[in-house]
Amino acid sequence: MVLPTLLTEQSNALERDGPMDARHELVGVEDVSRKFPLDHSDVTALDHASLRVSAGEFLAIAGPSGSGKSTLLNLIGCIDKPTSGRILLDGVDTSKLSPAHMTALRREKIGFVFQTFNLIPVFTASENVEFPLLVQGVEPRERRSRVAEALEGVGLAARANHRPDLLSGGERQRVAVARAIVHRPSLVLADEPTANLDTRNATQLIDLMRDLNRTLGLTFIFSTHDQRLLEHTPRIVRLCDGQVVSDTSAEGGRHGQVLASCVS
Amino acid sequence: MGKFLLLAFRNVFRNRRRTVMTLLMVGGGVAGLLLVGGFFAFMFRGLRESTIHDGLGHIQIFTAEHFRRDEVHVLDTGIGDWRQVAASVRSGSHVRGVAPRIEFYGMLSNGVKSSVFMGSAVDPDAERNMGFSPRMAAGRDLGGNSNGEVEALIGTGVARSMSVKVGDGLTILAVTADGALNGIDVQIVGIVNTGFKEVDDRYLRITLPSAQRLLASDRVTNLVVGLDATENTDKAAAELAPRLRGLPQQMVLKKWIDLAAYYKQVRTLFSGIFLFLGVIVFFMVLMASVNTLLMTMFERTREIGTMLAMGTPRKWIVALFMLEATLTGILGAVAGVAGGNVLGMLLNSLGLHLPPPPGTTVDMHFRVLHVPSLMIGSSLLVVVSLALASILPAIRASRLQIAEALAHV
């Protein structure tokens, strides 16, 4: 996979400021609960969860369906608000922000990758990647340059003018990754990014994300229940019934034990 | 902005079948308005020109006292030195001719039956020079091949009620300027069908000298001015008005529209009908479009959620939906204008006729005029309808909960 060159400035900053600065706390989840009303009762999707993520981490949130993975990502990504507790992003308590400020925060600091790619079907690959820059108001020449670099970075320069329906699943998800990083966010959130990919494409995608994480210091938090991916993930937070049941930063074998014990 | 417009444009054609249906509906509305409006415009134009050329003229000149006159002594308030006034007016630009008239009333009799008439006395040559010719049902116009008899034209209704025909004689009775009853014998040289039964039942036309002899006066009631084109009426009136000042008698100038009460009534009635049709089209487009756009919003819920997740301002989503609807409206309007014009040309080529409208006795041509202002108005109507229709779906789309929208299947 071709490594991206688009984030040269970010990469240089990482080298200039050194690894200590890159390891500051980017995300803080403090005793967060999220309940959803259902008929006459509440369903608890997240139950007093706490978590800290440093800048530059590559973190997987694992757990079975309904364990609260997507809810946690939505809360960290400022597209939902907790029922109780607080979410800190770069030290800012996002649960107290107005909708407009949350929108601005998402626009500036967060990139999203979705399970079903969620590309705009009437846009080409390059136009999809360009969209976050358009929303940010980046001028056209700068947009073109950054889009080209982002697509080259994910190995899709040759497919820039193809619409999503002419791309394979793996290509679509790589376009989605390019879209998530093109505006140089602090944090990339990926909700089950490999769920719709075969093994080869899933592995390639995780390798790509890991490369971006290592090279540019981009912080990745992704949810998955794919054992293949977890084996290559340095830190795994395990959710069960909305609660954080484990948080391990270990080698692949030990992750396997943690998962096995959760399943049992 | 360019990309945003591009996104809106491509979204319009996303579901082609639905777009085609929407364009058919919008275009059909526009085409319908153009056909109906174009036909009404043809009717208005036809009625306007027939009103003018049947004798009303483009401009009429009266004395100021005319409108306060005694109905019996019609020439008491007539124009005395009408030749001087006519000469002054005749030199105006756009003026094709000036004709003196006497409008008078009286009785007709053939010895067996009598009938009331509304008569006009004219200078046939001056009338013809301006292109004002009565619509002859039988016989000929005044002033041709006269054998010394006093000639008269009567309406078809008069001919029918008095059982007379071309070549028959009649006696006309009227009150002179002195208040005495006077009469002259005339020969019917033609029968006129004005198209309006009420007029045909009272119509009489004789030459000016005959009427002046009958009414014992050299005056005329008014001067009728014919122009080169109806569109020049305002310009010509503005030019002629100063020329009428300083004359021995105070004169009043009236444009045809001020005197054409029937034309104004017809125009008001049909404009009301057209407005009603416009309202129907407006609501038809509005209701159908709201439904279509809500369906579109529902189908694109996840995409909207994705855009919102990426930090797209909610007002952008509103703008996107409104832009898409407006583009659809513009495309529909273009299709409608094109379709309406083609259909109009097709219908015009068929040479269709309609039965006589109420109160008239002449078949009507069916013709559709291509009126630019109507095309612009109808197009604006549907574009505004669609833009308004998009407000509700646009606001609903912009207010989607992002997490729920992303989970939408």
Side-chain angles (χ1 to χ4, degrees):
Chain A
M1 189 65 62
V2 181
L3 287 177
T5 56
L6 77 160
L7 301 180
T8 318
E9 286 173 30
Q10 197 163 340
S11 186
N12 291 343
L14 190 64
E15 289 172 15
R16 184 179 65 246
D17 300 336
M20 287 306 289
D21 188 62
R23 300 299 292 179
H24 78 276
E25 185 179 299
L26 182 65
V27 178
V29 178
E30 297 182 353
D31 197 29
V32 166
S33 293
R34 180 68 171 101
K35 293 177 181 177
F36 294 100
L38 185 68
D39 295 331
H40 299 295
S41 60
D42 285 342
V43 172
T44 303
L46 214 54
D47 190 6
H48 297 285
S50 292
L51 179 69
R52 291 184 187 287
V53 183
S54 298
E57 276 203 81
F58 193 73
L59 167 70
I61 298 172
S65 293
S67 61
K69 303 186 297 293
S70 295
T71 302
L72 180 57
L73 286 182
N74 286 344
L75 291 169
I76 295 171
C78 297
I79 57 179
D80 196 6
K81 285 195 172 186
T83 309
S84 65
R86 61 181 197 156
I87 308 278
L88 298 170
L89 189 62
D90 247 351
V92 176
D93 184 354
T94 62
S95 44
K96 289 182 179 169
L97 292 178
S98 68
H101 279 104
M102 288 176 80
T103 300
L105 199 64
R106 288 196 304 274
R107 189 163 57 227
E108 303 296 330
K109 295 202 167 187
I110 304 171
F112 291 92
V113 180
F114 303 98
Q115 177 181 338
T116 48
F117 323 128
N118 292 16
L119 299 177
I120 298 171
V122 294
F123 267 175
T124 63
S126 66
E127 287 164 344
N128 267 287
V129 176
E130 188 182 355
F131 191 78
L133 301 176
L134 196 70
V135 175
Q136 278 193 354
V138 176
E139 60 122 348
R141 188 188 296 179
E142 173 79 1
R143 286 207 306 263
R144 281 194 292 275
S145 153
R146 280 161 70 171
V147 167
E149 288 178 6
L151 281 172
E152 195 181 332
V154 298
L156 285 175
R159 310 284 276 168
N161 294 321
H162 288 67
R163 288 202 184 176
D165 58 347
L166 297 175
L167 300 174
S168 70
E171 287 173 330
R172 288 183 209 181
Q173 199 59 305
R174 278 190 279 155
V175 172
V177 170
R179 182 178 66 179
I181 63 169
V182 74
H183 59 297
R184 302 170 181 171
S186 311
L187 173 66
V188 177
L189 298 171
D191 190 6
E192 302 270 10
T194 60
N196 283 346
L197 301 179
D198 57 27
T199 303
R200 189 173 65 87
N201 277 310
T203 308
Q204 280 183 352
L205 184 79
I206 293 300
D207 287 345
L208 170 67
M209 287 164 51
R210 191 75 175 111
D211 281 343
L212 292 168
N213 164 250
R214 283 183 179 139
T215 315
L216 306 173
L218 274 174
T219 307
F220 276 85
I221 302 176
F222 65 98
S223 66
T224 187
H225 54 255
D226 190 337
Q227 180 63 37
R228 299 164 301 180
L229 307 181
L230 296 176
E231 288 170 0
H232 300 94
T233 308
R235 183 181 170 196
I236 300 170
V237 171
R238 173 76 173 145
L239 289 179
C240 271
D241 297 330
Q243 293 180 322
V244 176
V245 293
S246 71
D247 184 349
T248 61
S249 301
E251 296 304 315
R254 285 184 57 193
H255 288 323
Q257 288 172 3
V258 169
L259 281 170
S261 65
C262 185
V263 173
S264 67
Chain B
M1 187 60 195
K3 284 283 178 204
F4 199 63
L5 195 63
L6 183 69
L7 176 62
F9 190 78
R10 287 186 188 162
N11 277 333
V12 168
F13 292 101
R14 201 156 161 170
N15 187 327
R16 288 192 182 168
R17 190 165 55 181
R18 189 187 299 154
T19 301
V20 166
M21 293 306 292
T22 306
L23 291 181
L24 279 176
M25 179 190 66
V26 175
V30 172
L33 285 175
L34 289 187
L35 291 177
V36 174
F39 173 60
F40 283 3
F42 169 73
M43 263 190 353
F44 293 158
R45 192 184 71 178
L47 184 60
R48 181 189 75 181
E49 292 305 314
S50 68
T51 302
I52 290 168
H53 287 91
D54 282 353
L56 189 68
H58 293 99
I59 291 170
Q60 290 198 15
I61 296 164
F62 303 85
T63 61
E65 292 79 27
H66 174 83
F67 297 98
R68 300 189 292 270
R69 74 182 183 183
D70 182 337
E71 290 291 322
V72 177
H73 304 126
V74 291
L75 290 177
D76 283 357
T77 58
I79 306 170
D81 195 359
W82 57 270
R83 288 180 182 82
Q84 183 195 343
V85 180
S88 171
V89 170
R90 199 170 283 121
S91 61
S93 56
H94 302 296
V95 175
R96 192 171 165 188
V98 182
R101 288 260 181 90
I102 297 173
E103 310 291 347
F104 64 110
Y105 315 88
M107 292 281 292
L108 278 173
S109 176
N110 63 356
V112 180
K113 290 181 181 176
S114 296
S115 174
V116 176
F117 69 83
M118 292 172 66
S120 63
V122 299
D123 175 347
D125 293 332
E127 299 276 335
R128 267 193 293 275
N129 287 342
M130 293 191 293
F132 298 171
S133 301
R135 276 183 272 182
M136 304 304 299
R140 58 168 174 81
D141 195 2
L142 299 174
N145 303 320
S146 175
N147 54 7
E149 296 279 351
V150 175
E151 297 181 341
L153 300 180
I154 57 171
T156 50
V158 176
R160 191 168 46 250
S161 67
M162 299 192 71
S163 305
V164 291
K165 59 185 185 302
V166 173
D168 290 350
L170 285 173
T171 300
I172 304 173
L173 297 169
V175 178
T176 67
D178 300 331
L181 189 63
N182 195 13
I184 55 169
D185 292 327
V186 298
Q187 186 185 35
I188 301 166
V189 295
I191 296 173
V192 172
N193 182 0
T194 64
F196 299 96
K197 185 178 180 304
E198 286 75 11
V199 178
D200 291 341
D201 288 348
R202 299 281 180 267
Y203 186 94
L204 172 79
R205 176 178 278 208
I206 58 176
T207 60
L208 195 71
S210 305
Q212 287 173 328
R213 186 156 59 86
L214 175 67
L215 301 170
S217 172
D218 188 38
R219 294 184 167 194
V220 298
T221 47
N222 55 325
L223 293 172
V224 178
V225 182
L227 302 177
D228 51 4
T230 306
E231 288 69 26
N232 293 325
T233 302
D234 288 340
K235 206 186 296 180
E239 186 193 332
L240 295 180
R243 297 185 185 202
L244 300 178
R245 293 184 199 124
L247 292 170
Q249 281 179 294
Q250 190 187 350
M251 296 292 166
V252 172
L253 180 150
K254 295 274 184 188
K255 290 182 272 189
W256 69 270
I257 190 72
D258 301 324
L259 302 167
Y262 179 74
Y263 172 84
K264 282 193 280 193
Q265 281 176 354
V266 170
R267 189 166 182 126
T268 304
L269 171 69
F270 281 88
S271 297
I273 293 170
F274 185 70
L275 183 69
F276 181 64
L277 280 175
V279 170
I280 289 175
V281 169
F282 173 79
F283 279 104
M284 189 182 77
V285 172
L286 191 78
M287 292 300 138
S289 303
V290 166
N291 187 44
T292 304
L293 290 166
L294 279 173
M295 209 184 306
T296 303
M297 188 218 81
F298 185 74
E299 286 174 1
R300 286 161 55 188
T301 297
R302 194 191 296 178
E303 184 183 315
I304 295 161
T306 305
M307 292 168 79
L308 290 170
M310 287 192 290
T312 307
R314 290 185 186 268
K315 62 185 176 190
W316 281 38
I317 304 295
V318 174
L320 180 64
F321 268 76
M322 291 191 72
L323 194 56
E324 287 176 23
T326 305
L327 281 173
T328 306
I330 291 170
L331 290 171
V334 169
V337 167
N341 280 323
V342 169
L343 267 174
M345 283 191 281
L346 190 70
L347 288 170
N348 290 346
S349 70
L350 296 176
L352 299 174
H353 283 76
L354 296 176
T360 66
T361 52
V362 181
D363 276 4
M364 209 162 91
H365 289 291
F366 181 88
R367 229 184 137 68
V368 178
L369 294 185
H370 305 293
V371 187
S373 60
L374 198 59
M375 294 176 204
I376 295 168
S378 304
S379 300
L380 279 177
L381 178 75
V382 293
V383 171
V384 169
S385 305
L386 268 158
L388 289 176
S390 70
I391 290 175
L392 175 68
I395 289 175
R396 285 184 68 170
S398 73
R399 288 183 179 171
L400 283 173
Q401 294 299 313
I402 302 173
E404 288 175 18
L406 288 171
H408 184 83
V409 181

